[in-house]
């Protein structure tokens, strides 16, 4: 796991005779991604430069260092990620006469790209990766990203210079980089609390999309190739549907998942596993422990607020599995201390509030291991989100006449606080969460299509135009539902929420503490198998993620696993009213907002006042504004 960056000065030479120093300075901003080593490579004749920081995982000797030049001298590679089947690819190449100097997966990827060509090479690769490859014979640069977007890769032309790298923060060290904010991306950020691909928050800088290869020549011409896509994978799966029993499907998934976990346990450094106590991480931990001769290390985070605390469940599961378990409890002060650092981990505004506990559990794990497996991806691949369950249970609502739904919508929004407080006493919901949910459901009852329902469910601000002084036109890019509406939601989540929220959160927080994370549930072979299954195999009105539960129950007692889904969240509503209130009030003051001149100060100031007075129910929307404000203050300094 590492950090890469680079530039290609296609027209004007800004850094002639200084390329190595600039590339090294650019890479320095990625030091946390790679604290173990650094390197640069430059072709002075054409103004192309690579910068690199290394976190040594496989073949930690100097032979695995990057940038790496092929045996022939024809190709140069900088690579972030892991190729889990590199040993099989290596054996195949050796049978064809290729000889290796190291035991690294980097060299295998490099020689495979040279021997097979880039597209055929990556089609053979099982793993998470983002890389830049220079071919001298072709005079072309290749930028490539893994199938599901586990590893990040940004690129774009700015002042006639091509920039590329793991994080856009590295570009600021180049003298030609003078970025502006992309208002379309900002509008979408306020809608979803993250910037969706292929956009970035900066004008003219984009993300290489998952499963894509960009080929760039010396004239700046860009060719984009899709070597793998969710749509194609789904089409192939539907042409070859699974015809055996549910139990056989679970057996097949378990076999594949065990192999996925085993491949992700290959490392020359200590490794462990995140364990939240939920189905996904518990299944991964169980399969990991079943294939380890010694107790694996597991890690969980806890909260003093009981409603949000899953640590006792995780500890009970760890005790049953016999893992070497470590847990840590965090509170408002821990969060407050981290807030100034958040915008340094994320080079774009990013407002999934679970970024904080994710960072804390990664930081704790890094004290013991260098690699951690996680359960990310289970909800998307096996239909685990509450919105899928809601559609499975309440899809009949769309057959109800609109005038009745509008009556229900008005009624839900008008529930008196006294009744909500009575429900709160049941212990199922906290008042703030209950207010937010009833308000949200009331809004959703007004929607008349599955597409609009999905968009309403995932939107943080239903009317983000109120937030910006100059709000851009936002294209409505959601495709029409064709067939199974739950599968439709899964596909949209895997195209957007998974790569641009979940995987960004895990990558940036883990890399901030130099920890590599690996996601066995995002093995593309597992995804392709899940696409072949009937939706009823994955979810019904009573149960979600049915195959994972079937597997987990073989290793862990049902009573330790089965409880309402909580998600990895923090008591944001409480903390914004207490320990985080002074910090938030400063960033959301009318003077600060007017001085920055981007946001609608009147609207936001009123929203903040309503929130403090318990009149509004959108703490996650306010968190999005706060994360933008925090990021923007740093952006002004860096720019």
């Amino acid at each position: 796991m590492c950090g890469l960056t680079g530039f290609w000065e296609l027209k004007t030479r800004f850094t002639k005779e200084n390329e190595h120093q600039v590339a090294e300075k650019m890479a320095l901003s990625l030091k946390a991604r790679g604290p173990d080593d650094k390197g640069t490579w430059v072709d002075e004749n054409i103004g192309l430069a690579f910068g690199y920081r290394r976190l040594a995982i496989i073949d930690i000797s100097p032979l695995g260092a990057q940038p790496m030049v092929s045996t022939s001298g024809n190709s140069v590679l900088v690579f972030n990620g892991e190729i889990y089947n590199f040993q099989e690819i290596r054996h195949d190449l050796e049978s064809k006469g290729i000889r290796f100097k190291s035991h690294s997966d980097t060299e295998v990827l490099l020689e495979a790209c040279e021997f097979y060509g880039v597209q055929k090479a990556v089609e053979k690769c099982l793993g998470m990766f983002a890389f830049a490859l220079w071919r001298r014979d072709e005079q072309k640069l290749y930028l490539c990203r893994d199938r599901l977007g586990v590893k990040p890769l940004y690129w774009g032309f700015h002042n006639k210079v091509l920039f590329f790298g793991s994080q856009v923060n590295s570009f600021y060290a180049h003298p030609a980089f003078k970025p502006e904010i992309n208002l379309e991306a900002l509008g979408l950020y306020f809608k979803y609390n993250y910037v969706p691909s292929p956009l970035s928050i900066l004008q003219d800088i984009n993300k290489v999309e998952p499963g894509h290869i960009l080929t760039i020549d010396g004239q700046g011409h860009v060719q984009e190739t899709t070597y793998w896509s969710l749509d194609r994978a789904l089409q192939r799966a539907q042409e070859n549907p699974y015809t055996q029993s549910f139990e056989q499907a679970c057996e097949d998934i378990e076999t594949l998942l065990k192999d996925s976990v085993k491949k992700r346990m290959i490392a020359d450094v200590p490794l462990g596993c995140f364990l939240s106590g939920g189905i996904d991480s518990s299944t991964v931990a169980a399969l990991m422990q079943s294939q380890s001769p010694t107790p694996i290390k597991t890690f969980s985070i806890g909260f003093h607020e009981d409603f949000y605390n899953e640590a006792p469940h995780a500890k009970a599961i760890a005790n049953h599995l016999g893992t070497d378990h470590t847990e840590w409890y965090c509170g408002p002060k821990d969060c407050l201390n981290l807030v100034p650092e958040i915008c340094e981990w994320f080079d774009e505004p990013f407002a999934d509030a679970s970024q904080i506990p994710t960072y804390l559990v990664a930081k704790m794990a890094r004290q013991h291991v260098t690699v951690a497996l996680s359960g990310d991806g289970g909800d998307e691949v096996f239909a685990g989100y509450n919105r899928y369950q809601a559609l499975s249970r309440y899809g009949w609502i769309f057959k109800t006449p609109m005038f009745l739904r509008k009556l229900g919508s008005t009624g839900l929004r008008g529930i008196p606080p006294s009744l909500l407080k009575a429900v709160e006493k049941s212990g199922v919901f906290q008042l703030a969460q209950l207010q937010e949910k009833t308000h949200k459901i009331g809004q959703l009852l007004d929607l008349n299509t599955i597409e609009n329902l999905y968009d309403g469910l995932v939107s943080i601000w239903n009317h983000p135009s109120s937030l910006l002084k100059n709000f851009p036109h936002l294209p409505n890019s959601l495709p029409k539902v064709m067939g199974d509406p739950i599968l439709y939601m899964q596909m949209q989540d895997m195209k957007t929420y998974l790569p641009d929220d979940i995987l960004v959160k895990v990558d940036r927080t883990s890399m901030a503490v130099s920890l590599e994370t690996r996601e066995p549930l995002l093995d593309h072979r597992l995804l392709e198998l899940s696409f072949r299954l009937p939706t009823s195999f994955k979810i019904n009105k009573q149960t979600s993620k049915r195959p994972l539960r079937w597997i987990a129950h073989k290793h862990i007692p049902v009573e330790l696993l089965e409880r309402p889904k909580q998600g990895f969240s923090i008591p944001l509503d409480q903390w914004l009213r207490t320990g985080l209130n002074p910090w938030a009030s400063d960033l959301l003051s009318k003077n600060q907002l007017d001085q920055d001149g981007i946001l609608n100060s009147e609207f936001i100031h009123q929203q903040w006042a309503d929130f403090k007075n318990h009149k509004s129910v959108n703490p996650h929307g306010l968190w999005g504004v706060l994360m933008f404000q925090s990021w923007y203050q740093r952006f002004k300094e860096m720019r």
Side-chain angles (χ1 to χ4, degrees):
M1 189 65 65
C2 309
L4 66 94
T5 188
F7 60 88
W8 193 357
E9 296 178 350
L10 295 166
K11 304 294 182 182
T12 304
R13 301 295 290 275
F14 289 88
T15 61
K16 193 172 184 179
E17 300 177 356
N18 197 30
E19 291 98 337
H20 280 284
Q21 291 91 328
V22 173
E24 185 171 347
K25 188 176 180 182
M26 290 171 67
L28 183 61
S29 67
L30 304 173
K31 184 176 180 180
R33 298 186 74 94
D36 298 331
D37 196 10
K38 62 182 180 180
T40 60
W41 174 89
V42 170
D43 187 328
E44 293 88 353
N45 295 323
I46 60 171
L48 175 64
F50 290 166
Y52 190 72
R53 298 293 311 201
R54 184 186 186 196
L55 176 62
I57 302 293
I58 294 175
D59 190 350
I60 61 178
S61 76
L63 292 175
Q66 299 183 46
M68 185 177 287
V69 181
S70 64
T71 302
S72 69
N74 184 56
S75 302
V76 187
L77 176 72
V78 278
F79 158 56
N80 170 31
E82 302 289 349
I83 308 300
Y84 300 121
N85 63 335
F86 76 97
Q87 291 171 331
E88 292 95 322
I89 298 173
R90 177 181 176 132
H91 292 154
D92 185 51
L93 288 168
E94 286 177 329
S95 71
K96 295 173 170 59
I98 306 297
R99 296 293 172 260
F100 292 87
K101 296 176 289 186
S102 74
H103 298 285
S104 71
D105 58 340
T106 304
E107 188 178 12
V108 171
L109 175 62
L110 173 60
E111 297 296 342
C113 285
E114 183 159 294
F115 185 85
Y116 299 113
V118 174
Q119 181 169 342
K120 287 184 179 179
V122 295
E123 286 172 348
K124 292 176 179 290
C125 289
L126 173 66
M128 55 179 186
F129 49 85
F131 65 82
L133 177 83
W134 171 246
R135 290 287 299 255
R136 294 182 194 272
D137 56 345
E138 300 175 356
Q139 290 289 287
K140 289 180 180 178
L141 177 70
Y142 293 86
L143 302 177
C144 182
R145 193 173 178 201
D146 64 63
R147 293 170 177 84
L148 292 172
V150 179
K151 291 292 101 185
L153 187 56
Y154 292 85
W155 75 286
F157 293 97
H158 193 81
N159 285 335
K160 300 180 181 179
V161 176
L162 171 67
F163 291 93
F164 51 92
S166 301
Q167 294 187 221
V168 295
N169 282 352
S170 65
F171 304 161
Y172 288 88
H174 192 285
F177 194 66
K178 306 294 180 185
E180 300 289 341
I181 291 178
N182 182 330
L183 289 180
E184 181 185 344
L186 182 57
L188 289 167
Y189 163 76
F190 280 124
K191 186 173 176 65
Y192 301 118
N193 271 2
Y194 61 84
V195 178
S197 295
L199 300 176
S200 85
I201 194 62
L202 302 180
Q203 193 70 41
D204 301 322
I205 299 296
N206 292 314
K207 298 159 189 161
V208 176
E209 295 194 71
H212 281 58
I213 302 168
L214 301 185
T215 307
I216 305 159
D217 66 20
Q219 285 72 49
H221 299 141
V222 181
Q223 178 184 345
E224 187 169 12
T225 304
T226 304
Y227 69 89
W228 189 92
S229 75
L230 286 161
D231 291 326
R232 290 181 194 168
L234 179 60
Q235 182 181 352
R236 287 194 297 269
Q238 292 178 334
E239 291 169 354
N240 182 29
Y242 195 86
T243 58
Q244 300 187 61
S245 67
F246 170 75
E247 290 74 16
Q248 185 59 52
C250 293
E251 294 279 3
D252 293 343
I253 289 169
E254 182 176 22
T255 299
L256 193 52
L257 185 53
K258 284 183 71 174
D259 183 66
S260 177
V261 169
K262 182 178 181 180
K263 281 182 165 59
R264 284 159 179 80
M265 292 173 67
I266 298 172
D268 295 331
V269 293
L271 75 162
C273 183
F274 295 151
L275 180 60
S276 69
I279 294 294
D280 304 339
S281 64
S282 298
T283 303
V284 170
L287 295 180
M288 190 176 176
Q289 184 60 72
S290 71
Q291 300 180 87
S292 173
T294 58
I296 65 169
K297 295 182 181 296
T298 54
F299 307 94
S300 66
I301 202 82
F303 299 97
H304 300 292
E305 294 83 357
D306 290 341
F307 183 81
Y308 294 89
N309 188 24
E310 289 191 288
H313 305 297
K315 187 174 183 178
I317 290 170
N319 288 340
H320 176 78
L321 293 175
T323 72
D324 179 3
H325 190 62
T326 304
E327 64 180 12
W328 189 75
Y329 277 72
C330 70
K333 288 186 178 179
D334 301 300
C335 177
L336 182 61
N337 292 334
L338 288 176
V339 162
E341 300 179 28
I342 291 177
C343 64
E344 296 182 13
W345 316 333
F346 296 89
D347 38 10
E348 301 184 84
F350 181 84
D352 182 333
S354 63
Q355 63 204 130
I356 293 172
T358 304
Y359 171 84
L360 290 170
V361 73
K363 183 178 180 181
M364 174 180 62
R366 187 63 177 92
Q367 298 172 16
H368 305 272
V369 300
T370 310
V371 176
L373 275 64
S374 82
D376 293 299
D379 285 317
E380 291 83 3
V381 176
F382 292 105
Y385 287 126
N386 288 334
R387 52 180 167 267
Y388 309 150
Q389 197 79 48
L391 185 60
S392 177
R393 290 176 177 172
Y394 306 120
W396 56 267
I397 289 176
F398 284 97
K399 300 176 182 178
T400 305
M402 180 58 76
F403 78 92
L404 290 176
R405 284 158 52 191
K406 284 190 176 293
L407 285 174
S409 171
T410 303
L412 281 170
R413 297 187 201 191
I415 294 176
S418 58
L419 180 57
L420 294 176
K421 287 182 179 179
V423 176
E424 180 190 26
K425 291 180 181 179
S426 69
V428 178
F429 294 105
Q430 287 196 326
L431 179 59
Q433 187 186 50
L434 189 60
Q435 287 176 317
E436 190 173 3
K437 285 183 179 294
T438 55
H439 186 75
K440 187 82 168 179
I441 293 170
Q443 291 177 321
L444 297 176
L445 284 173
D446 291 338
L447 303 176
N448 58 2
T449 67
I450 297 294
E451 298 92 336
N452 288 339
L453 173 66
Y454 175 80
D455 196 52
L457 285 168
V458 299
S459 295
I460 305 300
W461 291 98
N462 287 322
H463 302 289
S465 56
S466 304
L467 294 163
L468 290 175
K469 285 186 173 181
N470 299 298
F471 196 79
H473 171 71
L474 298 182
N476 184 4
S477 58
L478 280 178
K480 295 293 183 183
V481 173
M482 301 293 288
D484 187 341
I486 292 178
L487 183 57
Y488 170 85
M489 285 189 172
Q490 284 184 269
M491 286 289 287
Q492 295 312 308
D493 280 335
M494 284 186 276
K495 289 178 178 180
T496 56
Y497 182 63
L498 176 65
D500 295 325
D501 184 306
I502 299 297
L503 296 177
V504 168
K505 174 188 66 179
V506 174
D507 175 81
R508 304 303 192 277
T509 55
S510 61
M511 286 288 90
V513 296
S514 307
L515 177 77
E516 173 172 299
T517 53
R518 299 176 176 179
E519 295 79 15
L521 292 169
L522 289 179
D523 190 306
H524 74 276
R525 300 171 302 168
L526 196 63
L527 176 63
E528 290 171 347
L529 175 56
S530 77
F531 276 163
R532 295 180 58 209
L533 305 179
T535 296
S536 61
F537 278 21
K538 291 177 277 188
I539 184 172
N540 58 29
K541 292 181 180 180
Q542 290 75 39
T543 310
S544 63
K545 294 188 285 194
R546 295 181 66 204
L548 291 185
R549 292 178 191 276
W550 188 91
I551 296 167
H553 292 166
K554 292 176 66 175
H555 300 271
I556 302 166
V558 173
E559 60 269 19
L560 294 183
L561 279 172
E562 297 301 342
R563 59 186 186 279
K565 184 177 178 63
Q566 285 183 249
F568 200 34
S569 58
I570 64 173
L572 185 60
D573 182 273
Q574 298 175 37
W575 290 1
L576 283 176
R577 298 182 196 279
T578 53
L580 293 178
N581 187 275
W583 163 79
S585 293
D586 285 344
L587 284 176
L588 299 183
S589 71
K590 194 170 185 305
N591 287 340
Q592 181 65 63
L593 293 169
D594 286 338
Q595 180 182 329
D596 292 335
I598 295 177
L599 304 184
N600 183 340
S601 61
E602 295 287 346
F603 176 79
I604 292 170
H605 193 61
Q606 186 61 53
Q607 290 290 311
W608 178 234
D610 287 347
F611 173 78
K612 290 188 291 184
N613 293 324
H614 297 272
K615 293 180 180 179
S616 72
V617 288
N618 193 6
H620 294 281
L622 288 170
W623 186 250
V625 177
L626 287 163
M627 288 294 96
F628 171 73
Q629 281 292 92
S630 181
W631 173 86
Y632 185 62
Q633 307 315 308
R634 187 164 184 266
F635 170 73
K636 289 189 295 185
E637 294 174 3
M638 294 181 67
R639 188 165 170 258

